[in-house]
Amino acid sequence: MDWRVLAAIHPVTRWDGVSDLGSEEFDAVHSFYDPRAPPDRSRVQGYREELARDVVAYPSFDNTFALLLKLLRGFPSKDVDRVVANVLETVVTESPPPHWAILAFDLLRERMGEHPSPRPRWSYSSEKSFSEIEAGNAQDFVREWPDFKQRHGLKPQPIQPPAK
């Protein structure tokens, strides 16, 4: 097993494994919406079942959660979908919700057969500040979440985040 995958499936070393699986993964939001930047799943293709089991058993509440979901693109798992919905239900009430949750939400939408539109991104030529764009994306997530749950008949339950 590739050491990066082995590291990614353990909560304590998850960041080390996920962050080393490819430099493209560091820019998660950009690469999610950029069709020219397909994720490199070749290193994890044979291990996605293990990664999915780990997401279900030990969901994280940080950037690694969204990055693992990116690695699980195209890998169907109702258990993963359920845990993602539970994690999002837990953090949607935070003010503001964490930025990784917005990406995780769009990845869940994709997993459920939807085609999310690209969210606004900040650039030096943007009329809005980075904070304004992030705040708008967070507001959209909070507004869209109840409709998404209803469309898909989801009844997620908040879960206890791991101790920090």
Side-chain angles (χ1 to χ4, degrees):
M1 179 179 288
D2 186 312
W3 75 267
R4 294 164 290 211
V5 175
L6 185 60
I9 62 175
H10 295 288
V12 174
T13 56
R14 183 174 288 160
W15 174 253
D16 296 311
V18 171
S19 66
D20 202 49
L21 281 169
S23 60
E24 177 266 339
E25 299 302 329
F26 273 118
D27 190 5
V29 174
H30 181 266
S31 62
F32 175 72
Y33 296 116
D34 186 352
R36 295 170 300 166
D40 177 11
R41 290 190 207 97
S42 60
R43 290 182 254 191
V44 297
Q45 194 67 35
Y47 306 109
R48 294 199 306 168
E49 190 170 325
E50 288 90 344
L51 290 171
R53 269 197 306 265
D54 184 64
V55 166
V56 170
Y58 307 105
S60 56
F61 285 74
D62 59 19
N63 286 331
T64 61
F65 189 70
L67 294 175
L68 278 171
L69 289 178
K70 281 191 67 184
L71 294 173
L72 291 172
R73 272 180 150 167
F75 182 83
S77 170
K78 296 287 185 194
D79 289 336
V80 168
D81 298 343
R82 177 183 45 78
V83 167
V84 174
N86 290 344
V87 167
L88 293 175
E89 185 72 10
T90 304
V91 301
V92 72
T93 59
E94 292 182 19
S95 185
H99 65 277
W100 57 263
I102 298 161
L103 176 59
F105 175 52
D106 287 343
L107 288 163
L108 179 60
R109 290 176 63 198
E110 183 181 87
R111 293 178 65 80
M112 302 294 276
E114 295 187 8
H115 303 284
S117 299
R119 295 197 183 269
R121 293 190 338 227
W122 182 84
S123 71
Y124 287 104
S125 61
S126 297
E127 292 181 16
K128 293 182 178 181
S129 71
F130 177 80
S131 298
E132 290 171 319
I133 290 173
E134 289 291 305
N137 286 338
Q139 289 171 352
D140 291 345
F141 163 51
V142 171
R143 187 185 72 251
E144 294 167 4
W145 178 242
D147 293 337
F148 174 81
K149 292 188 303 185
Q150 185 175 18
R151 267 193 317 275
H152 294 282
L154 300 177
K155 299 190 184 315
Q157 301 297 312
I159 56 178
Q160 182 66 38
K164 292 186 178 187

